Amino acid sequence: MQITLTINGADHTLDLDPRVTLLDALRDHLGLTGSRKGCDQGQCGACTVLVNGRRINSCLSLAVMHEGDAITTVEGLSDGALSPLQQAFIEHDGFQCGYCTPGQICSATAMLDELAAGWPSHVSPSLDGPCELTEAELAERMSGNLCRCSCYPGINAAIRDAKGHQA
Amino acid sequence: MKPFDYLRAENTAAACHAGAGRGAAFIAGGTNLLDLMKLEVMAPGKLVDVTRLGLDRIEEEAGGLRIGATVPNSDLAADTRIRRDWPVLSRALLAGASGQLRNKATTGGNLLQRTRCPYFYDTDTPCNKRTPGEGCAALGGETRNHAILGTSEHCIALHPSDMAVALRALDAQVEVQSPEGNRRAYDMDNFYCLPGDTPHIETMLEPGDLVTSVFLPAPKGDRQVYRKVRDRASYAFALVSIAAVIRMEGGRIAHAAIGFGGLAPQPWRDIEVDATLTGTTPSAALFDKVADILLQGAETHGGDDFKIPLVRRLLPAVLEEATA
């Protein structure tokens, strides 16, 4: 099928089998290999991208279903300069092998927006918001992103630091 | 993944018509369906995309809310009306999956998600739900995450939803449109089918029937609790979960509706439990008694034996919190 995807602000027209996931379209058809394939079943979060500002697992979504959506990958987060989160991941050493990092950064970017919008989480004492980004809140809200190197202390410090810049 | 045709439906009638075709399946969030298609547990010949039918709104009606079938779980959980008047639904949604999945998963899809029985997923083992008549590898197998109520000799798979447990305790209705254009609604009590000897038939839906919305009536109880016990703190299915909707009047329980997850092939509710609680004064003895009522007829399979003592502790704890 011929479809047009809008990725990082640019339109790309592709001829795709409907079976192609958004992740495979990005990596194999457009050369945007920042989004990673880890588990390919929505468990690890390495494939996380933003669709209309929302974080999703691109491995569990068909590319053909995303015509007209604004898709942002890790390649689109930096506008010349690194985003505050990207910079913070470097400063706090929020990675070891780096495989999960694009997914962590895309996920955290949207997670901070969810927090700013007052969305509660499973561990929020009240549903009324606003929520503080406690250790428990951060762990719960980022539970869809795994790091096999277990660099969570650096990842968490980076997200906190970036939130401080955002506030 | 097996090849399939993709059709983006322009309106609900066209979607139902296309969905009635042999081998067709609806897709919205796709988080469960695509996972199953990659494993070829499911192999629809046609996918009908229902994400652009305008079914993504939450509207107020008669003191309740009509929730469109494609409203994402994250939006539903964050809706200020849900948070205020149906907090048990918000809590149940937030207890499920991850932030990424809740952004994709929809109201209708959550209701219709398939069991996570490992033998249903493993095409090298027999499964009556996947291939009727093949046998059940769960019986005699690893049964930590299986049902102990409402099962049959053909299937002990459980329904994995958190959201649906809350919806059952809230007396929600599932609204459906048929390929003939008829609209009908099912109480949550009547929407799901028990496995019996047809575990592959899970709901009352016929081919082409599209879940268009869920109607949430005005809350009958202001004390709402959702408690979920699982193997890790986040992003795991329930071992046991309980949704309690209670109204107290003069120290007595005036309304009680208790939903259970992790126990049965469908979000579970026991009218005898609700009736025994209603009109009485809360006490430890009462809570133990309703746990006995709930578990009469429960059948465990070894790996899930622990669910009996777990329910006996969890149910009184939830009822104590909800009636305090």
Side-chain angles (χ1 to χ4, degrees), chain B:
Chain B
M1 203 186 294
K2 302 269 195 203
F4 58 84
D5 294 327
Y6 169 81
L7 176 79
R8 189 180 296 154
E10 301 291 334
N11 56 60
T12 303
C16 293
H17 179 73
R22 189 177 169 81
F26 296 119
I27 185 166
T31 53
N32 186 210
L33 179 59
L34 291 172
D35 197 18
L36 291 164
M37 287 171 64
K38 287 181 185 186
L39 296 167
E40 299 186 356
V41 173
M42 293 178 73
K46 177 184 271 187
L47 281 189
V48 182
D49 180 347
V50 296
T51 57
R52 301 183 194 219
L53 304 179
L55 301 175
D56 56 351
R57 291 187 280 274
I58 304 175
E59 290 164 343
E60 296 178 24
E61 187 180 307
L65 292 179
R66 173 161 286 111
I67 303 159
T70 61
V71 171
N73 288 177
S74 51
D75 288 66
L76 189 56
D79 186 276
T80 51
R81 295 161 293 188
I82 299 284
R83 284 196 255 169
R84 185 184 65 229
D85 294 331
W86 295 273
V88 68
L89 178 55
S90 226
R91 287 290 181 190
L93 285 158
L94 293 171
S98 67
Q100 289 96 317
L101 288 170
R102 288 192 295 272
N103 276 335
K104 255 308 190 170
T106 62
T107 308
N110 190 316
L111 288 173
L112 299 176
Q113 66 179 302
R114 311 298 303 274
T115 186
R116 277 9 180 242
C117 173
Y119 303 102
F120 175 67
Y121 270 71
D122 181 357
T123 52
D124 289 334
T125 60
C127 172
N128 287 321
K129 189 183 278 299
R130 197 179 58 239
T131 312
E134 197 176 61
C136 173
L139 288 165
E142 170 58 48
T143 54
R144 182 169 177 79
N145 295 301
H146 286 83
I148 64 171
L149 294 168
T151 58
S152 75
E153 61 184 307
H154 303 285
C155 185
I156 59 170
L158 61 77
H159 195 275
S161 175
D162 291 293
M163 180 196 82
V165 175
L167 287 180
R168 188 144 191 209
L170 290 166
D171 295 309
Q173 291 186 316
V174 184
E175 299 176 325
V176 174
Q177 183 167 327
S178 76
E180 294 75 32
N182 300 319
R183 293 166 184 270
R184 59 190 197 281
Y186 294 97
D187 292 336
M188 282 290 283
D189 295 341
N190 302 322
F191 181 65
Y192 293 100
C193 306
L194 287 175
D197 57 6
T198 54
H200 57 294
I201 300 171
E202 298 175 350
T203 69
M204 297 296 287
L205 297 178
E206 299 284 344
D209 283 351
L210 179 68
V211 174
T212 53
S213 50
V214 168
F215 184 70
L216 203 51
K220 296 172 185 168
D222 56 331
R223 294 163 179 247
Q224 301 183 13
V225 175
Y226 191 74
R227 187 85 71 86
K228 176 177 181 178
V229 177
R230 46 186 158 174
D231 277 329
R232 61 185 184 199
S234 183
Y235 196 11
F237 290 101
L239 295 169
V240 177
S241 71
I242 299 179
V245 177
I246 302 273
R247 189 177 74 252
M248 299 294 292
E249 280 175 13
R252 288 175 184 274
I253 299 170
H255 174 80
I258 318 296
F260 298 89
L263 295 182
Q266 57 181 235
W268 196 251
R269 196 166 153 186
D270 186 324
I271 53 170
E272 211 184 325
V273 166
D274 296 347
T276 304
L277 289 167
T278 304
T280 57
T281 305
S283 70
L286 173 69
F287 299 160
D288 288 342
K289 183 178 164 191
V290 294
D292 288 339
I293 291 169
L294 173 73
L295 293 168
Q296 63 193 353
E299 280 183 32
T300 61
H301 316 89
D304 53 10
D305 290 354
F306 72 93
K307 290 189 177 181
I308 299 283
L310 183 55
V311 171
R312 285 194 190 284
R313 289 170 197 158
L314 191 64
L315 181 55
V318 167
L319 292 173
E320 201 176 306
E321 182 183 342
T323 58

Side-chain angles (χ1 to χ4, degrees), chain A residues 22-96:
Chain A
L22 179 58
L23 176 63
D24 287 343
L26 293 170
R27 288 181 60 84
D28 300 341
H29 295 264
L30 292 164
L32 292 167
T33 54
S35 307
R36 302 287 163 75
K37 185 180 281 191
C39 67
D40 209 26
Q41 55 179 12
Q43 292 283 329
C44 74
C47 67
T48 303
V49 301
L50 309 183
V51 173
N52 303 325
R54 300 282 188 91
R55 51 178 171 161
I56 69 157
N57 302 110
S58 63
C59 74
L60 282 185
S61 201
L62 296 173
V64 292
M65 293 179 72
H66 287 289
E67 270 203 310
D69 287 336
I71 298 158
T72 306
T73 67
V74 71
E75 292 92 342
L77 289 179
S78 55
D79 184 16
L82 295 178
S83 77
L85 256 168
Q86 289 174 310
Q87 189 61 41
F89 265 70
I90 293 172
E91 285 168 13
H92 293 276
D93 205 14
F95 38 72
Q96 184 170 310

